[in-house]
Amino acid sequence: MNHPFPLKEIALQSGLSLATVDRALHGRAHVSAQTARRVQAAIMELTRQEGQLAARGRRMFIDIVVEAPRRFSDELRRAANQVLPKFAPAVIRPRFHFAEDIGPAKTVAILAKIAKQGSQGIVLKAQNVAPIRAEIDRLIDLKIPVVTVFTDCPDCARLAYVGLNNANAGRTAAYLFAQCLQGRSGAVLTTTSRRQFQGEEARARAFAVEMARLCPEVTLHEASGGAGLALETATQITRAAHGLDHLLGVYSMGGANAAILSTLVNAQLEPEFFIAHDLDRENRSLLRQGRLAFVLHHDLRADLDQAVQHITAYHKLRPPVLEAGTEDVQIITPANCPCE
């Protein structure tokens, strides 16, 4: 057990004798598992207290960089304003960098500007492409921790990924379709905002594999690349739906669901089952109207909380974060749709 504390402090915190603490720390004989746990718990508590003292009055700037439609960014801003005050006594000041449709070059420019002005950490939702991964590596070299959220940029030095287990979400959507369709044949539309978002790509890939296993009689038609924006997504839906005379369902991984439904109604292709992601204001309304069958949801507040825990632990203001893993999806129906 590595620690910076004198034996006397650990003994006082744990209520054990100096000799017992010494034996436990050095792995000597005659130390029960319960005693070892008490010593470890004392060290963790001392670490937490030390972090609180270090954080007292500490002001930190954390930059939240997100490429997403405004409906998602609005939910994220609301979640940040709820989560960040919980990190008192440190004062965490968020700086939001939201954009609806930007290329990798502009994302890299935003990250470079943040590095120039200084930051205690970056929470990042971005495309998984080489220039962005290289910039993350550069930021880490500059001692600016980067935590990816909701969609990952693997194969770079990012501090951690927090968010949904996207492959499980795709498999869950396939299971729900299998239960609803009960062996029927036909077409299902799938949409992502961008396949360069690793999270949506993982959903789409897992969904396709599981649908081939559970619903081999169903054909998938992809309508991706609309960036989750209404006009662009409607264009992709019109293209993908051309020639179809019946539509069993839609699995929307990237949003703009009101626009998707409107476009399909105009084409006389209103789907029987529609599965979407994220409980934003638009999806709540569509769910309550019965136009969505299910919304696959994850808690943005929990994700942001985990991201900031990683960043504050990096600065030794709290104990190290145990590997939390990814969050599993929640299935929301019209019956259990929460209030705003």
Side-chain angles (χ1 to χ4, degrees):
M1 302 179 193
N2 294 323
H3 64 90
F5 307 109
L7 291 182
K8 184 177 179 180
E9 281 194 50
I10 300 172
L12 287 170
Q13 184 68 38
S14 65
L16 300 168
S17 69
L18 281 171
T20 300
V21 170
D22 183 69
R23 287 199 305 273
L25 289 175
H26 293 92
R28 299 193 180 105
H30 310 299
V31 176
S32 69
Q34 182 181 13
T35 297
R37 286 195 296 270
R38 282 180 65 182
V39 171
Q40 188 172 25
I43 291 172
M44 291 179 66
E45 177 60 23
L46 288 168
T47 303
R48 186 188 68 80
Q49 293 173 11
E50 187 178 66
Q52 283 189 333
L53 289 171
R56 195 170 302 281
R58 174 82 175 267
R59 185 176 66 172
M60 299 178 64
F61 286 97
I62 291 181
D63 292 270
I64 301 176
V65 182
V66 171
E67 179 182 352
R70 181 173 175 179
R71 63 181 178 274
F72 183 86
S73 297
D74 286 347
E75 297 291 328
L76 187 56
R77 187 189 297 271
R78 186 177 299 114
N81 290 333
Q82 292 172 343
V83 166
L84 295 182
K86 298 178 183 178
F87 286 84
V91 178
I92 297 179
R93 300 272 299 277
R95 295 185 293 211
F96 298 104
H97 310 264
F98 292 158
E100 290 199 318
D101 186 11
I102 56 175
K106 186 166 285 189
T107 300
V108 169
I110 291 170
L111 294 173
K113 184 177 180 180
I114 291 169
K116 187 174 181 180
Q117 70 184 10
S119 176
Q120 279 69 57
I122 297 173
V123 176
L124 176 66
K125 177 185 181 292
Q127 298 177 44
N128 177 33
V129 294
I132 292 175
R133 293 194 298 269
E135 184 63 16
I136 292 172
D137 288 338
R138 190 179 79 89
L139 289 161
I140 298 297
D141 288 341
L142 294 171
K143 309 299 182 189
I144 300 176
V146 179
V147 178
T148 55
V149 290
F150 319 130
T151 182
D152 198 9
C153 292
D155 303 319
C156 69
R158 53 100 171 109
L159 185 63
Y161 165 71
V162 297
L164 183 64
N165 183 325
N166 286 290
N168 274 359
R171 286 188 282 269
T172 299
Y175 173 82
L176 293 172
F177 267 107
Q179 297 305 302
C180 292
L181 297 179
Q182 294 292 308
R184 295 166 60 198
S185 62
V188 168
L189 275 180
T190 64
T191 75
T192 63
S193 63
R194 290 188 188 281
R195 295 300 284 263
Q196 290 85 356
F197 285 121
Q198 184 269 349
E200 292 183 27
E201 170 64 18
R203 293 174 195 174
R205 187 168 56 249
F207 178 73
V209 169
E210 198 69 357
M211 284 292 285
R213 184 178 74 85
L214 296 175
C215 304
E217 65 287 341
V218 170
T219 58
L220 302 183
H221 297 256
E222 185 179 355
S224 295
L229 303 176
L231 183 61
E232 292 84 344
T233 300
T235 299
Q236 297 297 327
I237 291 292
T238 300
R239 176 192 58 76
H242 181 71
L244 296 178
D245 56 11
H246 182 68
L247 189 60
L248 290 175
V250 174
Y251 177 31
S252 170
M253 293 161 263
N257 298 315
I260 293 172
L261 283 163
S262 177
T263 302
L264 291 174
V265 168
N266 290 339
Q268 298 183 330
L269 281 173
E270 190 162 8
E272 297 180 36
F273 304 104
F274 196 125
I275 298 177
H277 273 266
D278 301 321
L279 269 182
D280 56 36
R281 186 172 291 120
E282 178 179 276
N283 283 346
R284 279 189 177 92
S285 176
L286 292 172
L287 192 62
R288 290 185 178 121
Q289 294 169 31
R291 304 190 73 192
L292 302 181
F294 306 102
V295 171
L296 303 183
H297 179 61
H298 63 291
D299 189 346
L300 300 185
R301 292 169 300 181
D303 294 339
L304 280 175
D305 185 274
Q306 280 285 318
V308 178
Q309 283 188 48
H310 279 286
I311 291 171
T312 51
Y314 175 90
H315 292 288
K316 303 190 186 316
L317 300 181
R318 55 157 291 124
V321 181
L322 299 177
E323 192 61 39
T326 51
E327 183 185 348
D328 251 327
V329 71
Q330 304 171 40
I331 301 173
I332 308 298
T333 72
N336 70 340
C337 182
C339 297
E340 293 259 3

